[in-house]
Amino acid sequence: MKLEIGNFYVKDIVFGDKTFYENGILTINKEEALAFVKEDEHIIEADIKIVKPGENVRLVPVKEAIEPRVKLNGDPLFPGVTGDVVKAGNGRTHALKGCSVLVVGKHWGGFQDGLIDMSGEGAKYTYFSQLKNIVLVADTDEDFEKREQQKKNRALRWAGMRLAEYIGNAVKELEPEEIETYELEPITKRAKEVNDLPSVVFVMQCQSQMEEMGYNDLVYGWDMNHFVPTFMHPNEVLDGAFISGSFMPSSSKWSTYDFQNFPVIKRLYKEHGKTINFLGIIASNLNVALDQKERSALFVSQIAKSLGADAAIVAEEGYGNPDADFIACIVALENEGIKTVGLTNECTGRDGQSQPLVTLDEKADAIVSCGNVSELIELSPMETVIGELKSLARDGLSGGWAHDEVLGPSVREDGSIIMENNSMFCGDQVVGWSPKTMKEF
């Protein structure tokens, strides 16, 4: 399987009378783009704004992020979601780099939504403050969930994906500035010098806790609550086979943009044939019942052992209940003699004194921490708020609150806020963006 991603590096984004890309400038016909979005009858209000790094802008409630792309063969950008189920990971895809489509609720937020600051103290907590963002600010007629703390956000998420594909079409016929090529030989057909290197597999534990459909990550449009651990080609991940769900507290989530650009996968590709033999991906799940967790751990370890893995990296999307899956998977791999490193955030409480993961084991002795979800963060007011700031406190965002006996309200009268890291949009960046490290004492 050979995937070529043709990159176009966006220097600026402006509105104009047509949508096109030229000399690093992405021009968007706002009216045409909005008309395309509003083809979905569930979108009742919508606007598009452009925000850039360094601007005095706060976005909340942020629901999704997608990189604008287009597939040259006409296949849907997200197979099984925005079009038919077809194979991802092969052929040519064009991508607009340095930018994203952000989806922001005009009013209603929920447990899984987050916040992005484009400047100031808050900007360092999320990768998306570094990007030029095309912001779809919208509301829907999904009245049944507006006052629910847990939302599927279906119409808004799908609108963002469709908008990303519409914008991506601007570079479909152009020659890219750079082409990244991702190709792995079949495991049994690799050269001896590659097979002699340490063999590494990446275990990707996607969020799938909700037994009701519509909240979990999707793979080729399939709800991952129904999924079992499966060996997959890394190109499928980078080319739209996975989309983000709408369940986890925001700092722990992997956005669709994260799946499209997964830094851990790209680094493993970079080392393939040099320091390691990159076997591929074991896509796994994070279900609720204990027997499901144990079964998945056994599946993962059996697949890894059968592939001949010497080492594994396990990345967990989420925390709390999924910690049991995470540790069980590491232990099962170690029991097979496979040296394993884990990537996760922690929930150590606001004072940092609590147990970092729900469950631990002596065999989980190599874990990379990407931050504490409960860390308190104070942020100054911003000149511009896109969305609705009071949603952080009113609507049950996982890191905000209406009132605390000690700390007071999460959103203060002057527009400043205090909140937990939980509410930073994809802030813990377990996929590999994270600049965080441990402090030594």
Side-chain angles (χ1 to χ4, degrees):
M1 194 178 288
K2 181 179 179 180
L3 172 66
E4 293 182 329
I5 299 181
N7 293 328
F8 298 79
Y9 288 90
V10 177
K11 298 174 184 175
D12 199 7
I13 306 173
V14 297
F15 290 122
D17 59 2
K18 64 177 182 177
T19 298
F20 68 102
Y21 177 86
E22 188 175 47
N23 298 324
I25 310 301
L26 173 62
T27 302
I28 299 172
N29 181 323
K30 183 176 180 178
E31 290 71 26
E32 185 177 275
L34 284 172
F36 182 74
V37 167
K38 289 178 180 177
E39 287 177 4
D40 184 340
E41 61 183 10
H42 297 293
I43 303 295
I44 56 174
E45 291 183 74
D47 193 9
I48 295 174
K49 299 180 182 292
I50 298 167
V51 299
K52 302 169 187 177
E55 292 183 343
N56 201 328
V57 174
R58 175 166 291 153
L59 304 101
V60 65
V62 184
K63 298 174 180 293
E64 173 66 298
I66 310 105
E67 184 171 75
R69 292 184 175 188
V70 63
K71 296 191 178 183
L72 269 59
N73 65 1
D75 284 350
L77 190 55
F78 301 105
V81 178
T82 59
D84 293 339
V85 178
V86 293
K87 183 170 68 175
N90 211 35
R92 173 78 72 87
T93 295
H94 282 181
L96 287 156
K97 309 303 289 188
C99 69
S100 80
V101 171
L102 293 179
V103 182
V104 176
K106 186 170 183 178
H107 298 295
W108 301 99
F111 178 75
Q112 66 291 318
D113 297 334
L115 176 145
I116 296 172
D117 275 359
M118 296 302 296
S119 63
E121 174 70 10
K124 71 182 185 183
Y125 287 94
T126 173
Y127 181 79
F128 296 94
S129 64
Q130 304 173 40
L131 302 179
K132 303 166 192 71
N133 295 303
I134 304 147
V135 184
L136 174 63
V137 193
D139 200 6
T140 78
D141 65 358
E142 296 165 316
D143 296 331
F144 63 92
E145 72 172 9
K146 281 183 178 176
R147 296 185 186 275
E148 293 290 331
Q149 185 182 24
Q150 189 69 59
K151 296 175 174 60
K152 296 180 181 179
N153 286 326
R154 189 190 188 285
L156 292 176
R157 291 160 57 215
W158 262 245
M161 287 182 283
R162 294 179 66 246
L163 179 60
E165 195 162 15
Y166 162 84
I167 293 169
N169 269 286
V171 296
K172 185 173 184 179
E173 305 298 331
L174 303 182
E175 189 61 31
E177 299 154 39
E178 172 191 70
I179 296 177
E180 297 176 27
T181 301
Y182 297 97
E183 186 174 17
L184 287 178
E185 291 293 321
I187 291 172
T188 59
K189 306 294 184 183
R190 295 179 184 177
K192 182 179 185 302
E193 57 267 25
V194 175
N195 282 329
D196 286 345
L197 294 169
S199 295
V200 180
V201 68
F202 179 45
V203 181
M204 194 173 72
Q205 292 185 310
C206 301
Q207 185 50 236
S208 54
Q209 282 183 274
M210 295 293 278
E211 294 185 353
E212 181 181 339
M213 300 300 95
Y215 294 102
N216 302 306
D217 292 350
L218 301 182
V219 54
Y220 287 106
W222 189 21
D223 193 295
M224 292 194 72
N225 184 266
H226 293 165
F227 195 72
V228 294
T230 302
F231 181 63
M232 296 185 69
H233 198 289
N235 289 7
E236 295 177 278
V237 182
L238 299 176
D239 198 37
F242 289 79
I243 70 161
S244 177
S246 185
F247 173 68
M248 279 310 297
S250 193
S251 73
S252 304
K253 282 189 357 180
W254 300 346
S255 70
T256 298
Y257 183 101
D258 290 324
F259 281 115
Q260 292 172 298
N261 291 279
F262 221 112
V264 171
I265 295 175
K266 290 189 174 184
R267 181 58 187 272
L268 289 168
Y269 250 120
K270 186 177 181 180
E271 296 300 321
H272 177 67
K274 299 174 183 176
T275 62
I276 64 168
N277 176 16
F278 180 26
L279 298 174
I281 304 289
I282 301 175
S284 190
N285 48 10
L286 293 166
N287 288 1
V288 174
L290 182 59
D291 66 318
Q292 295 170 346
K293 298 174 186 295
E294 293 171 339
R295 190 178 298 113
S296 289
L298 291 174
F299 267 108
V300 168
S301 61
Q302 178 275 124
I303 295 171
K305 186 69 172 180
S306 298
L307 292 171
D310 299 307
I313 299 172
V314 179
E316 170 193 19
E317 183 186 8
Y319 69 93
N321 184 288
D323 293 345
D325 306 72
F326 178 66
I327 296 298
C329 187
I330 291 174
V331 170
L333 289 164
E334 289 280 350
N335 285 341
E336 294 290 350
I338 299 169
K339 297 299 183 183
T340 305
V341 174
L343 307 177
T344 184
N345 54 17
E346 307 175 55
C347 185
T348 58
R350 292 176 181 177
D351 59 3
Q353 299 297 309
S354 299
Q355 179 171 308
L357 302 176
V358 167
T359 182
L360 292 167
D361 191 281
E362 291 180 352
K363 292 181 179 177
D365 59 1
I367 294 179
V368 178
S369 171
C370 299
N372 173 20
V373 299
S374 301
E375 178 185 354
L376 283 174
I377 298 169
E378 292 194 60
L379 301 173
S380 301
M382 280 286 174
E383 182 180 314
T384 302
V385 174
I386 295 177
E388 190 175 25
L389 182 57
K390 63 184 178 182
S391 69
L392 175 66
R394 181 194 65 206
D395 299 336
L397 273 66
S398 50
W401 55 86
H403 182 75
D404 182 275
E405 290 184 1
V406 176
L407 301 172
S410 189
V411 178
R412 297 160 175 158
E413 289 185 6
D414 66 352
S416 65
I417 59 178
I418 182 169
M419 67 180 209
E420 292 184 352
N421 176 50
N422 258 317
S423 278
M424 283 295 178
F425 181 72
C426 299
D428 293 323
Q429 304 166 38
V430 174
V431 295
W433 304 113
S434 182
K436 298 175 185 175
T437 187
M438 299 298 292
K439 179 184 275 190
E440 294 187 11
F441 293 92

